[in-house]
Amino acid sequence: MDDDKHVRGERTMKNGLTQAEIEFVELLTSGDTVEVFNSRSILLYRGVVEEAAPALGVAWIRTESAERRMFDVREHLVRKLPGPDVFYSIPLP
């Protein structure tokens, strides 16, 4: 029963976004480097944020292999990495 899940605090896609999830996506800006993990804390993607849609709880990144990927903060664990992007930098001679 969906009501039981809601009472126990389990989230489903129907529950919508929490304020914290919306605020996290609002903080993502183009050029931020992030790592995206599944629910078992396995790294799925590392990439640079291209675009974010806070109201939807999603963002698009360009991965190290140049793929464009979308992630949903309701389904993924996301870590914003400090500093400039490393894998798109030009190596120094």
Side-chain angles (χ1 to χ4, degrees):
M1 299 216 221
D2 289 334
D3 291 337
D4 292 337
K5 288 181 181 180
H6 189 266
V7 170
R8 292 192 312 255
E10 294 179 23
R11 294 185 311 165
T12 64
M13 291 300 285
K14 294 179 183 178
N15 288 5
L17 294 165
T18 67
Q19 187 61 35
E21 289 168 335
I22 293 170
E23 289 173 4
F24 178 78
V25 179
E26 286 175 341
L27 292 175
L28 293 177
T29 58
S30 181
D32 286 344
T33 302
V34 296
E35 292 179 328
V36 180
F37 300 85
N38 67 12
S39 61
R40 294 180 156 173
S41 298
I42 297 172
L43 179 64
L44 299 175
Y45 316 114
R46 181 180 293 120
V48 177
V49 174
E50 290 189 333
E51 188 177 350
L56 300 175
V58 299
W60 290 265
I61 63 172
R62 186 68 58 181
T63 68
E64 294 172 304
S65 59
E67 295 177 296
R68 191 164 197 243
R69 296 289 183 159
M70 182 187 79
F71 65 85
D72 187 322
V73 295
R74 292 170 290 192
E75 298 176 13
H76 298 94
L77 304 171
V78 182
R79 178 169 60 173
K80 184 176 171 181
L81 300 177
D85 171 34
V86 176
F87 50 82
Y88 284 110
S89 63
I90 300 171
L92 299 173

